[in-house]
Amino acid sequence: MKFPFKKKTTTPDTLKVPEHVAIIMDGNGRWAKNRGLPRAAGHRAGADSVREIVRSCDKLGIKYLTLYAFSSENWNRPEKEVTMLMGLLEKFLKDKLPEMLEDNVRLRAIGRLDMLPAHVRAELDNAIEKTSKNTAVTMTLALSYGGREEIVDAAKSIAEAVNKGELSTDQITNDLFSSHLYTSDIPDPDLLIRTSGEVRLSNFLLWQLSYAEIVITSKNWPEFRHDELVTALEEYSRRDRRFGKVKPCNA
Ligand code: FPP
């Protein structure tokens, strides 16, 4: 899909717009440290970037946005920071619900959600339910999420179906496996963006990112706003996605 975009002066007339963008939001702590602020200030500024980026996705025509908001490994951070992040998430869900409704955003969540504190889970379930009919951007928050854990959960669910006689092992294909993942109802990401210059996947969407293009930006997440998203799309637009095949002209 091509999208004419005029706002950012350095932007070419047409961008290739991915259907699904996944983002590893990194560098909140460094952003705060660089300014002599507490880490919590970095996470709060990161929550503002979330709001701007979901709106930008709508403007640009990106239908799915998946954000790595809290990993399985993040439970090992100091208790004070975990409590603060859970509080921020609860506040975000409560405060931003009217905006999500106004912006026609559908919220989803993936991960081991039963590990979230009950007060956060209640806000999450409420926001998911209230936005379930919305049709603009589908924003998926990865919470208490790990890619390996997701694959293990899918393997268990397939094994149970085999044990019950609902499935035979020769029916297990890539598509069948995908249908047992948390993301069964959304397409795989076309583009993965990671902020703050780190070049690793950190256990994020390990199955689904198989053919995604990866763009790394040195910006910390609180600085990642509309123009930075457009810059990432410009880089994506220059990529040649071949999915393991050869270009027709080389065939
Ligand atoms: C990485 O920064 C970010 C996180 C662990 C959490 C992401 C959370 C937010 C963007 C804020 C809230 C989001 C929502 C959806 C409410 P870091 O702490 O690892 O930064 P550092 O590597 O510089 O220390």
Side-chain angles (χ1 to χ4, degrees):
M1 175 189 173
K2 298 267 182 186
F3 179 77
F5 196 82
K6 299 269 184 277
K7 241 185 167 178
K8 188 173 177 258
T9 46
T10 54
T11 303
D13 281 347
T14 57
L15 279 182
K16 267 191 223 159
V17 175
E19 185 180 22
H20 184 174
V21 174
I23 306 184
I24 300 178
M25 307 181 287
D26 201 4
N28 292 347
R30 275 161 283 176
W31 180 90
K33 193 173 175 215
N34 293 341
R35 285 160 180 76
L37 298 169
R39 290 178 61 80
H43 293 310
R44 279 196 298 274
D48 292 341
S49 285
V50 170
R51 185 188 174 210
E52 178 160 334
I53 291 303
V54 68
R55 288 196 157 173
S56 295
C57 284
D58 189 29
K59 279 189 212 136
L60 291 161
I62 295 165
K63 294 298 290 177
Y64 298 91
L65 173 69
T66 299
L67 300 171
Y68 206 4
F70 194 87
S71 71
S72 309
E73 292 75 20
N74 286 156
W75 289 117
N76 299 320
R77 289 193 175 199
E79 198 186 327
K80 211 174 131 206
E81 177 153 339
V82 170
T83 306
M84 185 272 297
L85 279 168
M86 288 299 137
L88 183 64
L89 179 62
E90 183 186 4
K91 186 169 158 36
F92 176 90
L93 292 165
K94 205 183 284 181
D95 294 354
K96 304 295 176 203
L97 180 58
E99 283 164 21
M100 286 192 262
L101 291 168
E102 194 185 317
D103 295 346
N104 195 17
V105 171
R106 178 170 72 119
L107 182 73
R108 299 174 70 259
I110 54 171
R112 292 190 173 161
L113 305 178
D114 50 354
M115 290 180 72
L116 297 173
H119 58 102
V120 176
R121 185 66 199 269
E123 288 300 337
L124 183 65
D125 289 346
N126 179 50
I128 290 173
E129 202 263 314
K130 296 260 166 55
T131 61
S132 63
K133 302 275 185 313
N134 288 351
T135 54
V137 179
T138 295
M139 174 168 71
T140 302
L141 296 180
L143 294 168
S144 188
Y145 174 87
R148 288 184 173 178
E149 287 78 357
E150 179 181 25
I151 290 169
V152 166
D153 286 349
K156 281 185 187 162
S157 130
I158 292 169
E160 274 165 22
V162 171
N163 280 345
K164 284 187 203 151
E166 294 163 4
L167 198 66
S168 67
T169 48
D170 56 9
Q171 287 174 296
I172 303 173
T173 59
N174 285 356
D175 285 346
L176 184 281
F177 202 92
S178 293
S179 74
H180 284 259
L181 293 170
Y182 308 148
T183 51
S184 58
D185 58 339
I186 59 174
D188 287 345
D190 306 290
L191 170 63
L192 170 71
I193 299 170
R194 181 164 188 155
T195 59
S196 89
E198 310 289 348
V199 188
R200 52 177 175 267
L201 290 180
S202 299
N203 203 15
F204 188 42
L205 300 176
L206 297 180
W207 173 282
Q208 297 88 337
L209 290 172
S210 294
Y211 288 100
E213 294 297 324
I214 301 178
V215 170
I216 307 290
T217 165
S218 59
K219 299 271 180 185
N220 290 318
W221 175 249
E223 303 161 321
F224 191 90
R225 300 293 167 110
H226 177 80
D227 279 359
E228 284 69 36
L229 178 61
V230 173
T231 302
L233 295 195
E234 286 168 356
E235 184 166 340
Y236 172 80
S237 303
R238 291 191 289 271
R239 301 280 176 86
D240 180 21
R241 299 186 80 196
R242 294 195 297 276
F243 301 94
K245 299 174 193 155
V246 289
K247 277 164 75 169
C249 61
N250 296 337

